[in-house]
Amino acid sequence: MPTQVAKVLIDGPSELVFDYAIPENLDDVSIGCRVRIPLRNRNSTGTVLEITPAPQSDFTLRPLHSLIDPEPLITPGLMKLGKWLADYYGSPMELVMRALLPESVRQDAHSEKTQKVVVLENLPDDETLQKLAKRAPKQHVILILLKSAIQSGGQISIKDLGGGAVTASVKSLEKKGYVTIKHESVRRDPDADQEFLETKALKLNPEQEVALTEILKTPENDEPKKPILLHGVTGSGKTEVYLQAVQHHIDKGQTALVLVPEISLTPQTVQRFKSRFAALQDQVAVLHSHLSQGERFDEWHRIRKGKARIVIGARSAIFAPLKDLGIIIVDEEHENTYKQETSPRYHGRDIAVLRAHLENCTIVLGSATPSLESFQNTQTGKYQLVKLVHRADHQTMPIIRVLDMKLEAQKQKGRDAILSDKLRVSMETKLKNGEQVILFLNRRGFARSLQCPPCGHVCECQHCAIPLTYHKGDERLVCHMCGYQTITPRKCPECGDKDIRLQGFGTEKVEKIIQKVFPQSRIARIDADTMRKKNALRDTLAKFKANKIDIIIGTQMIAKGLHFPNVTLVGILNADLGLHVPDFRAGERTFQLITQVAGRAGRGELEGEVVIQTFTPHSPSIQFARHHDFEGYAEQELQFRRQFQFPPFAHVALLGTRSTHERRAEFTLENIHKRLKKNLPPHIELGEPLPSPLTKAHGQFRYQLMLKSTSARELSRYIRDILKQTPPPEDVNIIFDMDALSFF
Ligand code: ADP
Ligand code: ZN
């Protein structure tokens, strides 16, 4: 009787998981191994996900056939990381394995791409050649081409020789012994169409010098190196520091991993890495979601074989199979996109810190607006704080002006107050000088709140002081924390104005207005709708850089790491929109957004100006951002978080149900809530089950509740135990989001 069972993820589109007995002769099977297995009446292949002791009673399991590769695809270090992930985020190992190994690597359907090349073996004498020219001109041409390619090895791919049209001729030549045909593997290079010119390292300024020294310092007495939080204002030259730190570890023969929030949104960062390491050519691998399966397969294997030693990628690149890792860099570490929104719901930054710890390598978290989680870790001494307080090129920080749109709304009575007079005049001046303008629109979520333009009043919950959320179906305002409900008022409860309405206007509307006001200007709009096509963003930004566009109107997509020397004015059209959402991080996000967007202004010789339009000019996130005061902001925000026991002082988990049957989503969550409440450990705080602010999405109704605890492990284990005892009905899905960042 077998003593062990392997759970195998079967190759193929349906990705089934079945148990197999491990026969005695295959006792070196381990997790992550590729195996051959019997499946119904045929043979199939798959990946071992888990190995468990065999249950006593089970005699029916079929045994594994054999191992495909002797070595598992996953390194022991990554395996450890995966197990931690499964435990902390309460995700089945099966889903963790899918995150660890891309499908194209796991499944047999993909393999190296090869091409046929024709190699010149011996060239016939001139007489034979001349005869050939008459009788078989095609063969003659091929030989001449190969002859001229002798310098480069005397070989040409069949494709380059003309593909199908020449195969017969090549075969004849092969028969005569003049050439041979070889199979050669070719790399599918996602950036094959781009050329990167090598850039040299810049001479660091004193601040950068200190930062680099701290990053490269090895701690005494074999102590583990603390993670470094590099807090550098926008334009302070963080990227240059990353580049030189990476160079250092590459020179030592190690490897480097650079995480960016989203590859398609940070084309300039990727370009700077590709250019700096252009001499290393193929040693830089870029991993992102637009890769084809074949490209992903090639990049992954290049990394695993040690051919690519620098990896740049978004969140999931944290699982890149690099060996001898010297440094991990997490750029813009505060970004939400590092959190995966499907199971396993891991945070790429947190996993990066863990991986650095497990593999004993350096880790740098960089940002102009660090997350309060990371900043608090520097206050407790868990992380080391390194600061860059000046812009690298000695530019001053841009001047930030805050405009009260309440006054503007009075002036523009009857119209939508979208563009203030002040911003319009500023735009006119800059455009006249041939300078460029970015207009930014905060468009976060759908949790819409009600605001009165004349007085700025926002409808809030009487009990919780967070904005009420408008629910479209029944025209109600609902508090997302406590469940308080009220009907939507027809006029402002504060000043009686009938103009009270849902906040917000779209990029499209702004574009129309701007076109009317500036008919001579060349305008581009950047949002999820206009940037669907591959490379659309890259191309638009290139045009902007080449001064072929005067005004860019964009959403969050343009808030990140872009560098345009000729942009002297940034307008933030609706700075408060993100403030009035039912989320304790709303203020932090608004602060980050304003700071990041403002950082796009004045990055060249010319001084920058930022205009913030807002209905709540005195909110702390706007005022501290205006004064470029991150630490001031962090101090008061951390006070609030401590008082209400919100992260980073506690861990928050979100538990949700989703179903096409509203009642069942509701009942299931109420049932879970009852069980959670029963023996609730003293350190865990339990919220009420409520409809989600986004009540329905993708045809499914959503209910949710929140839990809080100072101990993440305890919280996670408790929730998982209860969930195990409370299996949901078949048509209800359970969402368990540990350290949730989104409460919709
Ligand atoms: P950050 O990543 O902090 O936003 P960047 O690395 O993009 O900042 O640097 C901003 C600008 O300053 C870039 O144009 C960069 O080339 C330039 N820069 C960075 N470091 C130096 C330096 N030591 N000397 C001169 N220019 C620098
Ligand atoms: Zn409330």
Side-chain angles (χ1 to χ4, degrees):
M1 208 183 107
T3 54
Q4 293 208 296
V5 172
K7 265 193 194 317
V8 177
L9 180 61
I10 313 291
D11 288 358
S14 43
E15 304 213 324
L16 304 164
V17 177
F18 290 121
D19 287 352
Y20 290 90
I22 300 179
E24 258 162 46
N25 62 329
L26 288 183
D27 56 0
D28 49 349
V29 167
S30 57
I31 297 180
C33 277
R34 306 262 312 135
V35 288
R36 294 188 192 88
I37 61 250
L39 183 70
R40 296 189 196 97
N41 303 322
R42 56 192 179 87
N43 291 327
S44 187
T45 50
T47 312
V48 177
L49 293 183
E50 249 181 288
I51 294 179
T52 52
Q56 286 293 317
S57 55
D58 204 342
F59 297 97
T60 57
L61 284 184
R62 301 170 77 179
L64 298 174
H65 275 166
S66 58
L67 274 169
I68 297 175
D69 328 289
E71 251 187 72
L73 289 174
I74 298 181
T75 59
L78 282 176
M79 204 58 235
K80 241 192 218 167
L81 201 65
K83 286 196 172 136
W84 187 93
L85 219 90
D87 183 46
Y88 188 90
Y89 293 102
S91 182
M93 198 55 201
E94 182 189 326
L95 291 178
V96 171
M97 288 291 292
R98 287 176 206 227
L100 249 55
L101 281 179
E103 191 233 300
S104 60
V105 172
R106 224 184 325 121
Q107 298 207 355
D108 239 3
H110 306 275
S111 58
E112 273 192 340
K113 184 179 168 189
T114 55
Q115 64 176 5
K116 281 187 192 165
V117 290
V118 184
V119 187
L120 184 62
E121 291 298 340
N122 57 72
L123 197 64
D125 54 39
D126 287 349
E127 197 183 327
T128 320
L129 266 179
Q130 267 159 25
K131 272 189 207 157
L132 210 54
K134 280 197 199 118
R135 263 186 277 139
K138 265 197 196 168
Q139 294 180 26
H140 177 253
V141 171
I142 292 170
L143 287 177
I144 298 300
L145 283 171
L146 285 171
K147 186 183 164 195
S148 61
I150 276 181
Q151 292 265 308
S152 51
Q155 63 173 54
I156 300 176
S157 73
I158 290 215
K159 191 169 143 233
D160 289 344
L161 284 172
V166 300
T167 38
S169 312
V170 170
K171 284 217 176 99
S172 313
L173 287 171
E174 191 187 24
K175 251 186 225 153
K176 292 174 197 161
Y178 299 142
V179 304
T180 51
I181 301 171
K182 240 184 18 185
H183 287 262
E184 212 181 52
S185 70
V186 277
R187 173 184 169 205
R188 286 155 287 201
D189 179 1
D191 282 336
D193 60 333
Q194 287 186 75
E195 210 185 318
F196 298 94
L197 294 179
E198 190 184 350
T199 56
K200 290 265 174 284
L202 299 173
K203 183 170 171 13
L204 297 182
N205 64 35
E207 256 186 359
Q208 287 172 312
E209 199 71 65
V210 171
L212 184 64
T213 309
E214 289 302 325
I215 290 169
L216 300 183
K217 201 182 262 173
T218 39
E220 287 157 28
N221 322 329
D222 274 355
E223 271 175 50
K225 189 169 168 66
K226 280 185 192 178
I228 289 178
L229 177 64
L230 181 62
H231 172 214
V233 298
T234 51
S236 57
K238 294 185 289 297
T239 314
E240 185 61 35
V241 174
Y242 303 153
L243 287 165
Q244 298 197 18
V246 166
Q247 181 81 61
H248 172 89
H249 287 281
I250 293 300
D251 290 347
K252 277 195 354 193
Q254 295 176 311
T255 63
L257 177 56
V258 181
L259 293 187
V260 292
E262 224 172 306
I263 288 277
S264 60
L265 297 188
T266 47
Q268 290 182 330
T269 308
V270 176
Q271 251 161 8
R272 283 168 74 179
F273 271 88
K274 283 227 155 190
S275 306
R276 179 62 55 87
F277 298 104
L280 294 177
Q281 290 217 353
D282 285 351
Q283 298 207 14
V284 184
V286 180
L287 296 175
H288 57 77
S289 56
H290 287 310
L291 293 185
S292 68
Q293 296 275 28
E295 287 168 347
R296 191 181 308 280
F297 178 94
D298 285 359
E299 294 299 79
W300 196 89
H301 282 284
R302 271 168 14 87
I303 296 166
R304 184 171 150 79
K305 286 179 191 152
K307 287 185 182 162
R309 292 197 296 142
I310 301 172
V311 174
I312 307 175
R315 180 180 63 226
S316 63
I318 191 55
F319 303 120
L322 285 162
K323 282 181 203 133
D324 200 9
L325 200 50
I327 187 167
I328 303 177
I329 284 160
V330 184
D331 190 23
E332 311 283 4
E333 65 89 27
H334 64 279
E335 279 291 339
N336 284 344
T337 47
Y338 282 121
K339 179 88 154 104
Q340 164 121 328
E341 293 297 346
T342 54
S343 188
R345 296 168 180 268
Y346 64 92
H347 197 301
R349 174 198 62 217
D350 297 346
I351 298 305
V353 171
L354 182 67
R355 183 166 183 188
H357 174 74
L358 291 174
E359 304 196 18
N360 197 18
C361 77
T362 302
I363 179 160
V364 181
L365 311 176
S367 175
T369 52
S371 65
L372 290 178
E373 281 80 358
S374 298
F375 185 71
Q376 177 62 17
N377 278 333
T378 66
Q379 303 304 97
T380 60
K382 234 172 120 183
Y383 294 0
Q384 183 189 352
L385 180 63
V386 176
K387 292 197 260 189
L388 300 175
V389 301
H390 301 292
R391 281 195 160 179
D393 32 21
H394 301 289
Q395 298 301 313
T396 48
M397 296 301 281
I399 298 161
I400 301 187
R401 286 196 286 163
V402 177
L403 288 187
D404 187 347
M405 290 304 277
K406 294 197 291 288
L407 305 175
E408 204 61 34
Q410 280 164 19
K411 259 198 278 180
Q412 303 191 8
K413 192 83 191 165
R415 286 180 289 149
D416 291 289
I418 290 182
L419 184 64
S420 64
D421 287 341
K422 281 230 174 73
L423 180 54
R424 183 177 48 75
V425 171
S426 259
M427 286 176 72
E428 274 166 10
T429 320
K430 307 288 182 193
L431 292 169
K432 218 181 278 164
N433 295 341
E435 294 159 25
Q436 290 169 303
V437 176
I438 292 179
L439 293 182
F440 177 78
L441 215 71
N442 192 358
R443 209 171 53 167
R444 235 181 68 74
F446 34 78
R448 306 237 275 159
S449 49
L450 219 57
Q451 187 174 43
C452 172
C455 80
H457 174 79
V458 174
C459 293
E460 284 185 349
C461 172
Q462 303 167 349
H463 316 287
C464 308
I466 64 162
L468 293 168
T469 300
Y470 175 70
H471 282 232
K472 202 169 176 184
D474 49 6
E475 290 276 319
R476 277 172 171 273
L477 294 176
V478 180
C479 171
H480 163 53
M481 287 282 162
C482 74
Y484 167 81
Q485 295 198 7
T486 178
I487 47 167
T488 305
R490 305 230 164 264
K491 52 185 188 181
C492 175
E494 195 68 26
C495 73
D497 199 284
K498 288 207 186 74
D499 202 21
I500 190 159
R501 59 176 107 151
L502 290 175
Q503 286 187 315
F505 36 82
T507 30
E508 246 181 288
K509 185 162 181 186
V510 173
E511 187 183 17
K512 281 210 183 92
I513 289 176
I514 299 299
Q515 251 158 7
K516 240 191 243 158
V517 182
F518 299 98
Q520 313 293 344
S521 298
R522 295 159 302 175
I523 300 166
R525 172 158 68 94
I526 294 185
D527 56 26
D529 296 332
T530 57
M531 294 295 131
R532 278 215 192 99
K533 266 190 14 215
K534 193 177 169 180
N535 294 338
L537 183 68
R538 196 179 85 190
D539 296 345
T540 309
L541 294 180
K543 266 171 115 180
F544 193 50
K545 189 147 206 174
N547 265 315
K548 288 180 181 151
I549 295 169
D550 305 306
I551 305 171
I552 278 193
I553 301 163
T555 56
Q556 267 80 340
M557 286 178 98
I558 56 166
K560 292 165 199 159
L562 303 177
H563 181 78
F564 300 106
N566 196 36
V567 172
T568 52
L569 174 65
V570 171
I572 302 176
L573 297 183
N574 54 351
D576 13 26
L577 191 55
L579 276 179
H580 309 310
V581 292
D583 181 342
F584 62 87
R585 287 194 183 88
E588 181 182 7
R589 295 211 175 103
T590 302
F591 176 86
Q592 290 168 347
L593 209 63
I594 293 176
T595 308
Q596 296 283 349
V597 174
R600 304 305 122 225
R603 308 260 302 193
E605 298 293 308
L606 305 159
E607 193 164 294
E609 180 187 343
V610 178
V611 175
I612 301 178
Q613 300 189 156
T614 169
F615 285 98
T616 46
H618 298 294
S619 75
S621 33
I622 291 176
Q623 283 303 325
F624 281 107
R626 173 190 193 173
H627 293 108
H628 309 287
D629 185 4
F630 169 76
E631 290 192 15
Y633 178 72
E635 192 184 321
Q636 67 90 37
E637 180 68 20
L638 283 170
Q639 230 166 8
F640 154 74
R641 300 278 182 94
R642 192 192 299 270
Q643 189 186 345
F644 288 90
Q645 280 294 296
F646 280 130
F649 301 100
H651 292 268
V652 170
L654 182 129
L655 211 64
T657 49
R658 313 254 152 109
S659 175
T660 47
H661 302 275
E662 181 164 15
R663 289 289 145 259
R664 253 177 278 186
E666 187 181 3
F667 286 152
T668 307
L669 192 64
E670 276 169 2
N671 191 17
I672 293 172
H673 179 255
K674 253 184 237 148
R675 292 205 178 224
L676 284 168
K677 205 166 172 178
K678 214 168 171 188
N679 293 313
L680 194 70
H683 302 300
I684 297 180
E685 222 178 281
L686 175 65
E688 291 294 309
L690 285 170
S692 156
L694 177 60
T695 42
K696 194 179 177 190
H698 309 296
Q700 297 211 306
F701 292 91
R702 302 150 71 101
Y703 279 76
Q704 65 186 44
L705 62 82
M706 278 193 277
L707 296 108
K708 254 196 302 192
S709 173
T710 45
S711 162
R713 285 303 175 100
E714 195 183 347
L715 182 58
S716 173
R717 296 232 165 98
Y718 183 63
I719 294 173
R720 260 180 299 150
D721 281 349
I722 299 290
L723 289 181
K724 226 179 269 167
Q725 298 164 21
T726 332
E730 241 173 45
D731 49 3
V732 178
N733 283 322
I734 304 280
I735 307 295
F736 168 30
D737 191 356
M738 190 63 197
D739 294 334
L741 283 186
S742 164
F743 301 103
F744 300 138

